[in-house]
């Protein structure tokens, strides 16, 4: 992840459980890997916006052919919140 972030001039990930918590860096990572722009909240100041960012990540994965098998934001949030 840090290699990809360094190549894209993004800040380094030091604590994955904190740095991916609000979904912003997950969105950045997918933008780097897919070379597509993702709509997301760049400064999510509440849980609803953080949850929506996770939804945008899952939506991007599905659009790019990755099966999410019914995953929903709450399934991922449990690791970060």
């Amino acid at each position: 992840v840090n290699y990809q972030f360094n190549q894209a001039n993004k800040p380094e990930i030091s604590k994955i459980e904190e740095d991916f918590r609000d979904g912003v860096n997950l969105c950045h990572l997918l933008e780097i890997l897919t070379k597509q722009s993702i709509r997301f909240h760049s400064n999510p100041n509440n849980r609803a916006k953080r949850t929506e960012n996770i939804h945008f990540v899952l939506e991007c994965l599905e659009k790019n052919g990755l099966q999410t098998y019914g995953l929903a934001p709450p399934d991922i949030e449990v690791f970060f919140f």
Side-chain angles (χ1 to χ4, degrees):
V1 171
N2 281 328
Y3 175 79
Q4 296 294 332
F5 272 44
N6 287 334
Q7 295 297 311
N9 295 318
K10 300 290 181 195
E12 189 170 287
I13 301 297
S14 58
K15 293 185 178 180
I16 196 167
E17 66 276 2
E18 292 178 17
D19 296 336
F20 284 157
R21 179 173 288 172
D22 60 10
V24 172
N25 284 323
L26 285 171
C27 289
H28 285 308
L29 180 60
L30 282 178
E31 286 184 325
I32 292 166
L33 295 175
T34 64
K35 296 179 178 36
Q36 298 172 1
S37 180
I38 299 173
R39 173 183 60 131
F40 64 93
H41 303 286
S42 59
N43 190 20
N45 55 6
N46 61 50
R47 187 174 184 150
K49 289 180 180 179
R50 292 188 299 264
T51 298
E52 195 167 27
N53 279 351
I54 302 297
H55 173 76
F56 295 146
V57 166
L58 293 171
E59 194 174 71
C60 177
L61 291 172
E62 289 176 353
K63 283 182 183 177
N64 284 281
L66 189 69
Q67 294 277 333
T68 58
Y69 297 101
L71 275 176
D75 300 324
I76 294 172
E77 288 173 340
V78 73
F79 296 107
F80 299 117
F81 299 124

PDB file of all heavy atoms in Angstrom, residues 20-33:
ATOM      1  N   PHE A  20      -7.279   3.765   7.677  1.00  0.00           N
ATOM      2  CA  PHE A  20      -8.369   3.381   6.777  1.00  0.00           C
ATOM      3  C   PHE A  20      -9.739   3.570   7.420  1.00  0.00           C
ATOM      4  O   PHE A  20     -10.760   3.274   6.826  1.00  0.00           O
ATOM      5  CB  PHE A  20      -8.225   1.915   6.348  1.00  0.00           C
ATOM      6  CG  PHE A  20      -7.162   1.693   5.304  1.00  0.00           C
ATOM      7  CD1 PHE A  20      -6.594   0.450   5.155  1.00  0.00           C
ATOM      8  CD2 PHE A  20      -6.750   2.704   4.473  1.00  0.00           C
ATOM      9  CE1 PHE A  20      -5.623   0.222   4.189  1.00  0.00           C
ATOM     10  CE2 PHE A  20      -5.773   2.491   3.500  1.00  0.00           C
ATOM     11  CZ  PHE A  20      -5.217   1.247   3.358  1.00  0.00           C
ATOM     12  N   ARG A  21      -9.774   4.065   8.632  1.00  0.00           N
ATOM     13  CA  ARG A  21     -11.004   4.147   9.430  1.00  0.00           C
ATOM     14  C   ARG A  21     -12.136   4.912   8.747  1.00  0.00           C
ATOM     15  O   ARG A  21     -13.282   4.469   8.766  1.00  0.00           O
ATOM     16  CB  ARG A  21     -10.681   4.787  10.773  1.00  0.00           C
ATOM     17  CG  ARG A  21     -11.888   4.953  11.661  1.00  0.00           C
ATOM     18  CD  ARG A  21     -11.486   5.426  13.013  1.00  0.00           C
ATOM     19  NE  ARG A  21     -10.833   4.285  13.650  1.00  0.00           N
ATOM     20  CZ  ARG A  21     -10.198   4.329  14.793  1.00  0.00           C
ATOM     21  NH1 ARG A  21     -10.111   5.459  15.437  1.00  0.00           N
ATOM     22  NH2 ARG A  21      -9.644   3.261  15.296  1.00  0.00           N
ATOM     23  N   ASP A  22     -11.832   6.041   8.153  1.00  0.00           N
ATOM     24  CA  ASP A  22     -12.912   6.866   7.598  1.00  0.00           C
ATOM     25  C   ASP A  22     -13.193   6.589   6.121  1.00  0.00           C
ATOM     26  O   ASP A  22     -14.039   7.223   5.512  1.00  0.00           O
ATOM     27  CB  ASP A  22     -12.625   8.351   7.810  1.00  0.00           C
ATOM     28  CG  ASP A  22     -11.342   8.822   7.156  1.00  0.00           C
ATOM     29  OD1 ASP A  22     -10.736   8.057   6.363  1.00  0.00           O
ATOM     30  OD2 ASP A  22     -10.937   9.964   7.442  1.00  0.00           O
ATOM     31  N   GLY A  23     -12.477   5.628   5.536  1.00  0.00           N
ATOM     32  CA  GLY A  23     -12.714   5.256   4.143  1.00  0.00           C
ATOM     33  C   GLY A  23     -11.980   6.107   3.121  1.00  0.00           C
ATOM     34  O   GLY A  23     -11.920   5.751   1.949  1.00  0.00           O
ATOM     35  N   VAL A  24     -11.415   7.231   3.550  1.00  0.00           N
ATOM     36  CA  VAL A  24     -10.747   8.138   2.611  1.00  0.00           C
ATOM     37  C   VAL A  24      -9.559   7.447   1.955  1.00  0.00           C
ATOM     38  O   VAL A  24      -9.425   7.454   0.722  1.00  0.00           O
ATOM     39  CB  VAL A  24     -10.317   9.444   3.315  1.00  0.00           C
ATOM     40  CG1 VAL A  24      -9.446  10.287   2.399  1.00  0.00           C
ATOM     41  CG2 VAL A  24     -11.539  10.230   3.762  1.00  0.00           C
ATOM     42  N   ASN A  25      -8.694   6.840   2.750  1.00  0.00           N
ATOM     43  CA  ASN A  25      -7.516   6.186   2.167  1.00  0.00           C
ATOM     44  C   ASN A  25      -7.879   4.930   1.377  1.00  0.00           C
ATOM     45  O   ASN A  25      -7.188   4.585   0.417  1.00  0.00           O
ATOM     46  CB  ASN A  25      -6.479   5.882   3.242  1.00  0.00           C
ATOM     47  CG  ASN A  25      -5.731   7.121   3.666  1.00  0.00           C
ATOM     48  OD1 ASN A  25      -5.450   7.980   2.840  1.00  0.00           O
ATOM     49  ND2 ASN A  25      -5.415   7.229   4.942  1.00  0.00           N
ATOM     50  N   LEU A  26      -8.961   4.264   1.756  1.00  0.00           N
ATOM     51  CA  LEU A  26      -9.431   3.138   0.935  1.00  0.00           C
ATOM     52  C   LEU A  26      -9.852   3.649  -0.445  1.00  0.00           C
ATOM     53  O   LEU A  26      -9.553   3.022  -1.461  1.00  0.00           O
ATOM     54  CB  LEU A  26     -10.597   2.423   1.608  1.00  0.00           C
ATOM     55  CG  LEU A  26     -10.260   1.528   2.787  1.00  0.00           C
ATOM     56  CD1 LEU A  26     -11.544   1.062   3.478  1.00  0.00           C
ATOM     57  CD2 LEU A  26      -9.438   0.343   2.345  1.00  0.00           C
ATOM     58  N   CYS A  27     -10.533   4.787  -0.458  1.00  0.00           N
ATOM     59  CA  CYS A  27     -10.931   5.380  -1.742  1.00  0.00           C
ATOM     60  C   CYS A  27      -9.706   5.804  -2.546  1.00  0.00           C
ATOM     61  O   CYS A  27      -9.644   5.562  -3.750  1.00  0.00           O
ATOM     62  CB  CYS A  27     -11.859   6.566  -1.507  1.00  0.00           C
ATOM     63  SG  CYS A  27     -13.510   6.097  -0.921  1.00  0.00           S
ATOM     64  N   HIS A  28      -8.738   6.411  -1.873  1.00  0.00           N
ATOM     65  CA  HIS A  28      -7.504   6.796  -2.570  1.00  0.00           C
ATOM     66  C   HIS A  28      -6.814   5.562  -3.159  1.00  0.00           C
ATOM     67  O   HIS A  28      -6.349   5.595  -4.299  1.00  0.00           O
ATOM     68  CB  HIS A  28      -6.529   7.502  -1.629  1.00  0.00           C
ATOM     69  CG  HIS A  28      -6.889   8.907  -1.296  1.00  0.00           C
ATOM     70  ND1 HIS A  28      -7.171   9.867  -2.243  1.00  0.00           N
ATOM     71  CD2 HIS A  28      -7.019   9.521  -0.101  1.00  0.00           C
ATOM     72  CE1 HIS A  28      -7.454  11.001  -1.651  1.00  0.00           C
ATOM     73  NE2 HIS A  28      -7.372  10.814  -0.340  1.00  0.00           N
ATOM     74  N   LEU A  29      -6.743   4.491  -2.385  1.00  0.00           N
ATOM     75  CA  LEU A  29      -6.086   3.270  -2.863  1.00  0.00           C
ATOM     76  C   LEU A  29      -6.789   2.722  -4.095  1.00  0.00           C
ATOM     77  O   LEU A  29      -6.144   2.365  -5.085  1.00  0.00           O
ATOM     78  CB  LEU A  29      -6.047   2.223  -1.752  1.00  0.00           C
ATOM     79  CG  LEU A  29      -5.378   0.902  -2.113  1.00  0.00           C
ATOM     80  CD1 LEU A  29      -3.922   1.106  -2.512  1.00  0.00           C
ATOM     81  CD2 LEU A  29      -5.479  -0.074  -0.938  1.00  0.00           C
ATOM     82  N   LEU A  30      -8.114   2.685  -4.068  1.00  0.00           N
ATOM     83  CA  LEU A  30      -8.839   2.186  -5.239  1.00  0.00           C
ATOM     84  C   LEU A  30      -8.681   3.111  -6.442  1.00  0.00           C
ATOM     85  O   LEU A  30      -8.608   2.644  -7.575  1.00  0.00           O
ATOM     86  CB  LEU A  30     -10.309   1.979  -4.906  1.00  0.00           C
ATOM     87  CG  LEU A  30     -10.597   0.716  -4.119  1.00  0.00           C
ATOM     88  CD1 LEU A  30     -12.071   0.613  -3.778  1.00  0.00           C
ATOM     89  CD2 LEU A  30     -10.156  -0.513  -4.880  1.00  0.00           C
ATOM     90  N   GLU A  31      -8.627   4.411  -6.193  1.00  0.00           N
ATOM     91  CA  GLU A  31      -8.384   5.332  -7.307  1.00  0.00           C
ATOM     92  C   GLU A  31      -7.033   5.057  -7.951  1.00  0.00           C
ATOM     93  O   GLU A  31      -6.909   5.073  -9.176  1.00  0.00           O
ATOM     94  CB  GLU A  31      -8.442   6.784  -6.817  1.00  0.00           C
ATOM     95  CG  GLU A  31      -9.829   7.275  -6.534  1.00  0.00           C
ATOM     96  CD  GLU A  31      -9.856   8.737  -6.141  1.00  0.00           C
ATOM     97  OE1 GLU A  31      -8.917   9.217  -5.474  1.00  0.00           O
ATOM     98  OE2 GLU A  31     -10.841   9.408  -6.512  1.00  0.00           O
ATOM     99  N   ILE A  32      -6.039   4.781  -7.125  1.00  0.00           N
ATOM    100  CA  ILE A  32      -4.703   4.487  -7.640  1.00  0.00           C
ATOM    101  C   ILE A  32      -4.717   3.182  -8.431  1.00  0.00           C
ATOM    102  O   ILE A  32      -4.194   3.103  -9.542  1.00  0.00           O
ATOM    103  CB  ILE A  32      -3.686   4.412  -6.481  1.00  0.00           C
ATOM    104  CG1 ILE A  32      -3.497   5.792  -5.847  1.00  0.00           C
ATOM    105  CG2 ILE A  32      -2.356   3.848  -6.963  1.00  0.00           C
ATOM    106  CD1 ILE A  32      -2.796   5.761  -4.502  1.00  0.00           C
ATOM    107  N   LEU A  33      -5.306   2.150  -7.852  1.00  0.00           N
ATOM    108  CA  LEU A  33      -5.277   0.827  -8.474  1.00  0.00           C
ATOM    109  C   LEU A  33      -6.138   0.724  -9.728  1.00  0.00           C
ATOM    110  O   LEU A  33      -5.774   0.036 -10.675  1.00  0.00           O
ATOM    111  CB  LEU A  33      -5.704  -0.239  -7.461  1.00  0.00           C
ATOM    112  CG  LEU A  33      -4.774  -0.419  -6.257  1.00  0.00           C
ATOM    113  CD1 LEU A  33      -5.370  -1.412  -5.271  1.00  0.00           C
ATOM    114  CD2 LEU A  33      -3.383  -0.847  -6.695  1.00  0.00           C
TER     115      LEU A  33
END
